[in-house]
Amino acid sequence: MLLVKTKLGISFIHGIGLFAAQFIPKNTVTWEYSPYFDTSYEEADVERMSPSAKEQFLKYAYFDNILCRYVLCFDDQRFINHCSESHNILSTVRRDVAAVDIYEEEELVCNYNCYDDTYFIRLGIQEITVTRTIQSS
């Protein structure tokens, strides 16, 4: 569940991105897993999906290795993009924290491999390495 104000916008990394709609100070928790808000699915649930539904689901879900289930964020957190080199969000399977001060209108980006090292393999895509400049104070 997102804990800061955000909005969606056009990403320079990929498609739609998640952007700050407020100033977010360093060390602020920006998102936290909530079993009452985010949904989780067993592998068998995913296997029963139609091919097109499964493809769409796996694009936005991540695998929680603590729950041993796929998690689909209910809110716009599912639009956070990946940047392996210069992310401004530190992620785990249960919580995201601002790594630096994040300014309004700045895209929130994380390293998917920090909480789901199977994402790119599952989707059969090559990880895109993007380097970006993060504003710092």
Side-chain angles (χ1 to χ4, degrees), residues 13 81-87 109-114 120 127-132:
I13 295 172
N81 280 317
H82 166 79
C83 183
S84 61
E85 298 298 318
S86 302
H87 43 277
V109 291
C110 66
N111 182 343
Y112 292 175
N113 293 313
C114 289
F120 295 104
E127 180 179 351
I128 299 169
T129 301
V130 177
T131 302
R132 61 178 294 217

Side-chain angles (χ1 to χ4, degrees), residues 52-68:
S52 59
K54 182 178 177 180
E55 178 182 0
Q56 185 70 9
F57 174 82
L58 291 175
K59 184 188 330 180
Y60 293 108
Y62 71 89
F63 189 76
D64 181 324
N65 56 15
I66 297 169
L67 289 175
C68 293

